[in-house]
Amino acid sequence: MELKWLLYVTLLALGTLAVQAHDMDDDNDGDDVVDIEDDMDDGIEEVEELKPETSTPPPTPKVTYRAPVPTGEVYFAESFDKGTLDGWILSRAKKDDTDDEISKYDGKWEVQDMKDTKLPGDKGLVLVTRAKHHAISSRLSKPFVFDTKPLIIQYEVNFQNGIECGGAYVKLLSKTPELNLDQFHDKTPYTIMFGPDKCGEDYKLHFIFRHKNPKTGKYEEKHAKRPDADLKTYFTDKKTHLYTLVLNPDNSFEILVDQTVVNSGNLLNDMSPPVNPPREIEDPNDQKPEDWDERPKIPDPDAVKPDDWDEDAPAKIADENAVKPEGWLDDEPEYVADPDAEKPEDWDEDMDGEWEAPQIANPKCETAPGCGTWQRPMIDNPNYKGKWKPPMIDNVNYQGIWKPRKIPNPDFFEDLEPFKMTPFSAVGLELWSMTSDIFFDNFIICTERAVADDWASDGWGLKKAADGAAEPGVVGQMMAAAEERPWLWVVYILTVALPVFLVVLFCCSGKKQPSAAEYKKTDAPQPDVMEEEKEEEKDKGDKEEEEEEEETNEEKLGSDADIGSASQEEEEEEEEEDRKPASEEEETVNRSPRNRKPRKD
């Protein structure tokens, strides 16, 4: 019990000290003004004497940046570490159907270091301005043709200021004779659009490809299903994230964020609208017959309204049992003219009409239950039934919901290889954003997964390692949080001390064993001699049984001797009885007054 109380007191003391320390810091910061210069000289020596030797924490490990280099064949690779926009073309186009003031693609692009970068020398492409149209593009080293190899596109995005409304997706611009990167705009044909996009609370990760109808030659956008993963963190945490799209010749695809799959599927089954149209469609010329009955229920034609059904009875009636409250002021209106109101000086009766004071609540009604003409309150009419309607019954002529007949789809086609898309020859960013400083870096387009992974490891992997090295560990984060919120010290103390307390409580709360001193005080048998005592008692019982047998034999042998000794004992007892009266008579004579000696004065 003493140990339990000791633990209770320890926990309470630690929590109290933590709170007091926080209060003292607050007092020292704001309540008292201390002349530090006067006490500085006097305190330096004492602090130096009392200051324990503390070891300085090891320096934060530094991650050295090196520009990534492709480890295999690539169609496009850009790290922007040269610090220039060489190879990139800014668009000078205008958007159609838009006001001239905002139709120009005049948004600014620059190559900059990322804000709060942990890797000096690591540069990227930054969308600098907000609320403007931005367009920039660059050609591939050679056009990408969809044949027997996968397509992998990968790049990094960092929403340095968060994102309010805007996109950070890329477009793979289709290879056409009309492609002019100087006039790149929203209507420029593309093969694939991929990347994050957000407006309001709608967080998207686009994967759209334009499919060519083999019968008509027209292109139609096909959108991948929305991922099940929660994408909000990628837009709000202000960290660099790696976006990867993998398209395989078997029509399967994967979308990864930070090398983790967030969406996957098949081009034939998981796109909207589907790549291939249905084989049959509803006949647009088919019409529902006039006698087609779609009503599952109909009013009962044999039902008759009851004679006592009153359709004219009101739903509400006056309560006849209501009584006007005492003190009701029938002659006082609910509202009266404000006696303190005055006609404005600029009031023109010819223009504004006769002036009337504004109405206010009648002050006499404030203390009364009511004013004006009293009326009985309205209650539900128990006899109200409403308009009578016949009950509904099953329709014997019900034929179901009519649907037009199916006919073969004249536009049907079957493309079993949608992977074989239109070749593309350039990559572009055509964006509108209400947030500035969107950071792009380390674009790569290739066909081998290992090449993309190596590129990611040398780029995004270094950023991640640098951020991890700069961030404090779990203990450091807990300490920093406690500095901002000192009450967390109590939580930490309880979190650490409570398990220890419970372990000690369960281990030490068993039945207390008495000490050796207590055994000496009470003469109680000690546990270590209990077994010996049991054995001694067993041996003692055996000995007693043997002694009883011996005594039985001795009694048989000595019965004769006992008879002779009994007569002798009777004679001795009679002699003793004869002696007792004589001795008693002598005592009586000695005690009589005549035999006492006289006392000398």
Side-chain angles (χ1 to χ4, degrees):
M1 182 61 71
E2 294 178 357
L3 181 58
K4 295 179 185 178
W5 280 109
L6 181 59
L7 290 173
Y8 287 140
V9 172
T10 302
L11 291 175
L12 182 60
L14 290 174
T16 305
L17 289 174
V19 175
Q20 288 181 350
H22 171 51
D23 294 340
M24 292 176 63
D25 292 339
D26 292 343
D27 294 340
N28 293 335
D29 291 341
D31 295 340
D32 299 331
V33 179
V34 181
D35 190 354
I36 299 177
E37 294 180 357
D38 294 343
D39 299 337
M40 183 66 72
D41 296 336
D42 297 337
I44 288 178
E45 295 180 358
E46 296 180 1
V47 171
E48 290 179 351
E49 292 177 358
L50 298 177
K51 183 178 180 180
E53 295 181 1
T54 58
S55 59
T56 58
T60 303
K62 294 183 179 180
V63 179
T64 304
Y65 175 74
R66 290 179 299 176
V69 178
T71 58
E73 182 183 5
V74 297
Y75 289 79
F76 184 81
E78 179 62 82
S79 64
F80 301 100
D81 293 322
K82 295 180 181 179
T84 64
L85 287 174
D86 292 345
W88 291 83
I89 299 174
L90 295 172
S91 177
R92 296 183 296 175
K94 290 184 179 181
K95 291 194 70 170
D96 297 335
D97 305 326
T98 308
D99 294 339
D100 291 339
E101 297 180 357
I102 60 173
S103 64
K104 295 181 180 179
Y105 283 90
D106 55 354
K108 291 183 61 178
W109 298 91
E110 292 183 4
V111 175
Q112 301 176 356
D113 289 336
M114 188 168 56
K115 293 180 180 179
D116 302 325
T117 181
K118 309 298 187 302
L119 288 175
D122 180 18
K123 299 182 182 299
L125 178 65
V126 179
L127 183 149
V128 178
T129 50
R130 61 182 298 275
K132 287 183 177 294
H133 294 290
H134 304 75
I136 191 170
S137 57
S138 180
R139 291 192 179 274
L140 276 59
S141 59
K142 59 180 179 180
F144 186 93
V145 179
F146 295 87
D147 47 21
T148 60
K149 294 183 178 180
L151 166 66
I152 301 174
I153 176 172
Q154 182 173 273
Y155 69 107
E156 301 169 14
V157 178
N158 187 316
F159 297 105
Q160 301 182 96
N161 297 332
I163 183 70
E164 179 181 350
C165 183
Y169 44 81
V170 299
K171 289 182 177 181
L172 306 182
L173 305 181
S174 301
K175 179 187 176 183
T176 61
E178 298 81 14
L179 180 60
N180 181 5
L181 300 185
D182 186 62
Q183 295 298 314
F184 173 37
H185 56 90
D186 59 325
K187 300 282 188 356
T188 301
Y190 68 88
T191 300
I192 291 175
M193 189 176 90
F194 168 67
D197 186 20
K198 185 253 181 182
C199 199
E201 291 300 317
D202 190 10
Y203 301 89
K204 298 179 181 179
L205 183 52
H206 291 298
F207 166 40
I208 306 170
F209 78 94
R210 296 173 71 243
H211 180 258
K212 183 178 180 180
N213 188 316
K215 297 190 73 171
T216 63
K218 295 182 179 180
Y219 285 88
E220 184 179 19
E221 290 184 350
K222 309 295 182 181
H223 296 248
K225 63 182 181 181
R226 294 179 69 96
D228 296 330
D230 185 6
L231 306 176
K232 183 176 181 179
T233 303
Y234 305 130
F235 293 83
T236 58
D237 62 1
K238 299 182 181 180
K239 294 183 179 180
T240 302
H241 294 288
L242 181 72
Y243 295 88
T244 308
L245 171 65
V246 180
L247 273 176
N248 297 308
D250 64 355
N251 299 321
S252 63
F253 68 86
E254 285 185 335
I255 299 174
L256 301 91
V257 180
D258 298 343
Q259 298 183 326
T260 300
V261 177
V262 298
N263 197 3
S264 62
N266 191 286
L267 299 178
L268 289 172
N269 305 321
D270 300 301
M271 307 301 292
S272 179
V275 170
N276 295 315
R279 291 180 178 273
E280 293 183 334
I281 60 172
E282 295 179 347
D283 186 358
N285 299 320
D286 191 14
Q287 295 182 355
K288 183 175 69 172
E290 294 181 359
D291 59 348
W292 190 275
D293 197 340
E294 293 182 335
R295 300 172 301 167
K297 298 281 187 179
I298 59 172
D300 185 359
D302 299 328
V304 179
K305 183 177 71 172
D307 295 336
D308 59 349
W309 192 284
D310 186 2
E311 292 184 346
D312 298 329
K316 297 282 187 179
I317 59 175
D319 185 3
E320 297 297 333
N321 297 324
V323 179
K324 182 173 68 173
E326 294 183 2
W328 188 279
L329 304 178
D330 295 272
D331 298 332
E332 291 291 340
E334 294 184 18
Y335 295 93
V336 296
D338 185 359
D340 299 328
E342 297 180 357
K343 183 174 70 174
E345 296 180 357
D346 57 350
W347 188 273
D348 189 347
E349 293 189 356
D350 295 334
M351 297 292 295
D352 302 325
E354 184 180 357
W355 180 82
E356 294 181 358
Q359 298 287 304
I360 61 171
N362 190 343
K364 295 181 180 180
C365 299
E366 294 180 357
T367 57
C371 293
T373 303
W374 180 79
Q375 295 180 351
R376 298 180 184 276
M378 303 298 288
I379 59 174
D380 294 333
N381 184 1
N383 298 321
Y384 173 74
K385 295 183 179 180
K387 186 175 181 60
W388 180 85
K389 295 180 181 179
M392 303 297 287
I393 61 173
D394 293 334
N395 183 6
V396 296
N397 298 320
Y398 175 65
Q399 295 175 275
I401 303 300
W402 181 86
K403 293 182 180 179
R405 64 175 176 266
K406 296 283 187 178
I407 61 173
N409 185 0
D411 298 326
F412 173 74
F413 64 84
E414 190 173 34
D415 181 3
L416 299 180
E417 295 180 320
F419 170 77
K420 294 184 177 180
M421 306 175 190
T422 304
F424 60 92
S425 59
V427 58
L429 298 166
E430 187 268 319
L431 305 169
W432 165 275
S433 177
M434 294 301 296
T435 307
S436 61
D437 296 329
I438 302 176
F439 185 90
F440 300 86
D441 200 6
N442 294 331
F443 290 85
I444 188 171
I445 299 174
C446 60
T447 60
E448 298 180 25
R449 191 71 172 264
V451 174
D453 290 343
D454 292 342
W455 179 267
S457 177
D458 294 340
W460 174 77
L462 281 181
K463 289 185 178 71
K464 184 178 180 181
D467 291 340
E471 290 181 356
V474 176
V475 176
Q477 294 177 6
M478 293 175 64
M479 297 291 288
E483 290 181 0
E484 297 179 0
R485 305 173 184 86
W487 55 266
L488 286 175
W489 286 112
V490 179
V491 178
Y492 296 161
I493 292 170
L494 293 177
T495 304
V496 175
L498 186 59
V500 177
F501 167 73
L502 293 176
V503 171
V504 175
L505 179 64
F506 284 112
C507 293
C508 302
S509 61
K511 186 176 180 180
K512 185 176 180 182
Q513 297 295 336
S515 62
E518 292 177 347
Y519 281 116
K520 292 180 180 179
K521 292 179 180 179
T522 61
D523 292 334
Q526 299 185 20
D528 56 348
V529 299
M530 292 293 290
E531 295 181 357
E532 296 178 2
E533 290 180 354
K534 290 180 180 179
E535 293 178 356
E536 290 177 0
E537 289 178 0
K538 184 177 180 181
D539 296 338
K540 184 177 180 181
D542 296 338
K543 290 180 179 180
E544 288 178 354
E545 291 178 358
E546 293 177 357
E547 290 176 357
E548 288 178 359
E549 292 177 357
E550 291 177 357
E551 289 176 0
T552 302
N553 295 330
E554 289 176 358
E555 288 177 359
K556 291 179 180 180
L557 294 174
S559 59
D560 297 335
D562 293 335
I563 294 172
S565 61
S567 60
Q568 185 176 358
E569 290 177 358
E570 290 177 358
E571 293 176 357
E572 291 176 357
E573 289 177 358
E574 289 178 357
E575 291 178 358
E576 289 178 359
E577 289 178 358
D578 295 336
R579 292 172 187 164
K580 285 181 180 180
S583 60
E584 290 176 358
E585 290 177 359
E586 291 177 359
E587 271 185 51
T588 302
V589 172
N590 292 333
R591 290 179 181 176
S592 63
R594 289 177 297 179
N595 294 332
R596 290 182 182 178
K597 294 180 181 180
R599 187 179 62 181
K600 295 181 180 180
D601 296 330

